[in-house]
Amino acid sequence: MAQEKQAIAIIGAGLGGAAAGALLQSAGFDVKIYEQAPSFTRLGAGIHMGPNVLKIFQRIGMDQKLIDISSTPSHWFSRNGLTGEYLSRIPLEGYGATYCTVHRGDLSALQMDTMAPGTVQFNKRLTRLEDNGSDVYLEFQDGTSARAAIVIGADGINSRVRETLLGAEKPNYSGWVGHRAMITAEKLTKFDLTFEDCVKWWGPDRHMMVYYTTGRRDEYYYVTGVPHAAWEFDGAFVQSSREEMFEAFAGYHPVVQALIEATDDVTKWPLFNRNPLPLWSQGRMVLLGDACHPMKPHMAQGAAMAIEDAAMLTRCLEETGANAYAEAFALYEANRRERATRVQTVSNANTFLLTQEDPSWVYGYDVYAQPLRDKSVA
Ligand code: FAD
C-alpha cells in the first residue's frame, strides 16, 4: 500500500483548506491537501469576500488578482422586498481593503494557483484517521494511506475529522433552504429596471440576496433564504424551478419578479448548522471553517471565517513551531472562538445589515493586527 509522510495534512481543499494550504506553505511548512472531489468545476454560485478576507489574501499575493475578476460594490443595499423601500445603505468602502463579490469557481481557481503544484491531491476521500501519539495515520477510499504530524480538518459541515474528535452527529437542519441561480446579465436588458450591484430584498420571513459575480458584470446571481419545513431529499441540493420561485416570492417587487423571469436554472439547498463545538482540537488534530463552526449563510461570512481561521492557525503555528502543536492549537482556539461564535450567532439570526448599522467589527477586522491572546482564555 502506497504511503507517504507529510508534516501537515489538510483534509479538504474548499475555501478554508486551500487558504490554509497557501498560508502555511508561504510560512515555510510542508503541507499536503487531500480532497475527495475528482476535480473542481465552475458550479453556478457566487460568494462575497469582504475586506477582512482581502487583508489575508494580500499575504499570498491574491488580493489584486481577485479584485481584477470580481465585482466591487460600493454599498450593500437592504430593501423591503415588497415595496422596494431602502432599509439600509451600508458603505462597503473604508475598511482597509476591497469588498468583492465573485463566482465561487473563479475564486477557487485563484486559490489553487497560490499553492505549489502537486500540493492538492484529488480523489482522496478520507475514510479513517487515527492519532497514535507520535503521528496521525490517514486512510483514503481509494485504498491509499498517509501519515502526518498534524492534521487540519477543513472538510466541511459533515467533517470526518470532527466525527473522529466528537462522534457521529448529523448537523441541525435549520428549517430553511437557499435557492441559487446564475443569470446572464444580457437577459436583464429587456426590463426597464435597475439591477443594483449588491442588494438584499427582505420579506417578513424570507429574502433574496443579489449581486454580480464578475468585473465585467455579465453574470448576476441570487441566493435566497426561504422557510421549508423539512429536508426530505438525499444529496446536497435538488433542482428547483421558476414556478416554485414565483410562488415563493409572489407579490414581491418587480425587480425580484424580473430576476425570476430571467432564470434558466435554479437549485435548492438545505441550510444546516451546528451548535458551538465543545472542543476544536485533540492531540494532533484540529478543525477549521465549517468543520468547526458551520452557520446559516445569511451574513455571507462562513467562508470568511474559515479563511480567518486558516490565517490565525498559521500565525499560531509560526509562533510556537509545529512541534509545539498542542500549544499552537490552544492559542488558535483562544484567538478564534469568540469571534467565530459571534459571527455564527448573528448569521443564524439573519439580522445583519437589515438596518443602518456599522459593520466595522466584521469588515474592519485584520487577523494580523490582533495581539495574540493568552491560550488560557479559550
Ligand atoms: P467547504 O467549502 O465545505 O469545503 C470542504 C471541502 O472538504 C470540500 O472541498 C469537500 O469536498 C472536502 N471534503 C469533505 N469531506 C472530505 C473527506 N472525507 N475527505 C476529503 N475531502 C473531503 N460564505 C461567505 O464567506 N460568503 C458568502 O457569500 C457565502 N454564501 C453562502 C451561500 C450559501 C447558500 C451557503 C450554503 C453558504 C454560503 N457561505 C458563504 C458559507 C460558505 O460556503 C462556507 O462557510 C464555506 O464554504 C466553508 O468553507 P470550508 O473550507 O470550511 O468548507
Side-chain angles (χ1 to χ4, degrees), residues 139-213:
E139 210 169 81
F140 302 100
Q141 200 167 39
D142 65 357
T144 58
S145 61
R147 290 187 178 277
I150 290 174
V151 173
I152 301 175
D155 46 346
I157 190 161
N158 293 306
S159 168
R160 191 74 191 79
V161 183
R162 190 212 64 83
E163 191 179 314
T164 305
L165 263 55
L166 289 159
E169 191 182 348
K170 282 191 186 322
N172 310 321
Y173 174 58
S174 66
W176 286 47
V177 294
H179 301 89
R180 287 167 148 172
M182 197 63 83
I183 297 170
T184 312
E186 207 193 317
K187 294 194 91 177
L188 300 173
T189 53
K190 69 173 180 174
F191 301 101
D192 189 19
L193 294 164
T194 302
F195 297 95
E196 290 164 319
D197 284 359
C198 179
V199 53
K200 186 164 176 177
W201 298 89
W202 300 74
D205 69 343
R206 62 199 59 210
H207 66 259
M208 181 185 277
M209 177 86 228
V210 200
Y211 52 89
Y212 288 97
T213 56

Side-chain angles (χ1 to χ4, degrees), residues 46-76:
I47 194 155
H48 301 238
M49 288 282 106
N52 48 325
V53 178
L54 271 280
K55 286 170 208 161
I56 297 169
F57 285 160
Q58 277 168 14
R59 298 284 171 130
I60 43 175
M62 206 187 110
D63 56 324
Q64 193 55 48
K65 290 178 188 153
L66 179 60
I67 293 165
D68 290 346
I69 61 164
S70 299
S71 172
T72 54
S74 64
H75 287 79
W76 165 310

Side-chain angles (χ1 to χ4, degrees), residues 37 87 176 181 190 192-193 281 288 348 354:
L87 305 171
W176 286 47
K190 69 173 180 174
D192 189 19
L193 294 164
S281 67
L288 67 72
N348 287 341
L354 169 60

Side-chain angles (χ1 to χ4, degrees), residues 35-41 122-123:
E35 166 58 47
Q36 67 176 3
S39 63
F40 286 150
T41 47
F122 288 97
N123 260 323

